[in-house]
Amino acid sequence: MFTYSINFAINFIISGINSNKLKNSKPDFKRIAIKVGTNVITQADGSLNDGRILRLVEDVAILYKQGIEVVLISSGAVAAGRSEVSPSKKTNIVAAKQIWAAIGQVKLMSSYQFLFGKYGIQAGQLLATKESFRDRLHYLNMKNCISAMLENSVLPIVNENDAISINELMFTDNDELSGLISSMMDCRSLIILSNVDGVYKGIPGRKETELITSIDEESEDLDKYISSVKSGFGRGGMLTKCSIARKIASQGIDVFIANGTRDAIITDIVNRKNVPYTHFIASSRKATGVKKWLSHSDTFAKGAVVINSGAKKALLDEKASSLLMIGITKVDGFFRNGDIVRIVDEMGKNVGLGKSQYDSKKAEQNIGKKLEKPFIHYDYLVVNEKNKLI
Ligand code: GLU
């Protein structure tokens, strides 16, 4: 079995402060996703910080009243539950987290519902697992649910269903979930709130460390500058935030990483006030719905095909093309017609992925043949070169 793993967002970039790009980039906030990290809304002991939640709710309510559609992705369930119950010694850590999530999610939602209610806003809960994004029908059901909520002025609050998503069924963290949701809901912007001002070149808090104000597709690698230190109760770190942010920006969505412990940070970003944050400038390319879904489907791939250099060149070409059987030199794994399959070159480097039109047996039988039906049609194909979603 191939062990290649596609990472669509490896090569990180610094553009530092690039005034021209900033001037030219006009983020749109008509529909936004806001991700609130555990460390923003919990206190040192993990219990919910009601004052902070209230201030965030106030901030969101201002946007809401201006007609901006908001989808909130909020962490904090596990931490909120942990402060309530200490499971017995014979309860393992996985089960303990399930219990905490089961208790904490109710507390979290009760807080949000109560506080949004004070502003006349009805909030509703949507819990997702990674599996919810695997099947396109499930994905569309989820999308329809959130769309219907927005149409009916119900504010969707999304979290991972931590009580049942364990190990491989888990998202890396809620940053990943927020990326999926903003992409799925065609949001114009995503604001990721954590307890630091943005992405730093070095370790936050040190004198020599500077905040990177804007990042775009063209600049140099940034990974090496980012501290991988995590703080507090949340699962995500800055590296995963950046990787998600860049991937989402490549889909044409502006992403901001900012400090959720600063009052009015959301409205300040929307009103382009001079507050600290890191802005991942949206690419001008707009991916289709299917390609967006596919670009997040790497972990659901059932097998892989190796392609020759001619096929690779064709896929990476500016002009659109499908992957034909003639360009395939090897088929690996067991997959059905319609499953997601990875594409790798002869050196084992990831090229992309897509929805196959053959099952693995048929594909094997037709390796290298000149057949009309593509192995992956262009409309169901994403190529990861330079993060583009062709
Ligand atoms: N879904 C988790 C929670 O609500 C948080 C995951 C994360 O920290 O990103 O506690």
Side-chain angles (χ1 to χ4, degrees), residues 35 38 74-79 105 108 159-160 162 173-175 233-236:
K35 186 259 169 174
T38 298
S74 181
S75 304
V78 175
Q105 182 59 30
L108 186 65
N159 194 4
E160 180 166 10
D162 298 293
D173 47 45
N174 265 11
D175 301 319
F233 290 109
R235 277 211 305 269

Side-chain angles (χ1 to χ4, degrees), residues 29-32 60 63-70 270:
F29 296 102
K30 207 168 172 315
R31 175 180 287 181
I32 57 176
V60 171
L63 301 181
Y64 186 92
K65 301 284 174 199
Q66 289 169 4
I68 293 175
E69 291 181 316
V70 177
V270 171

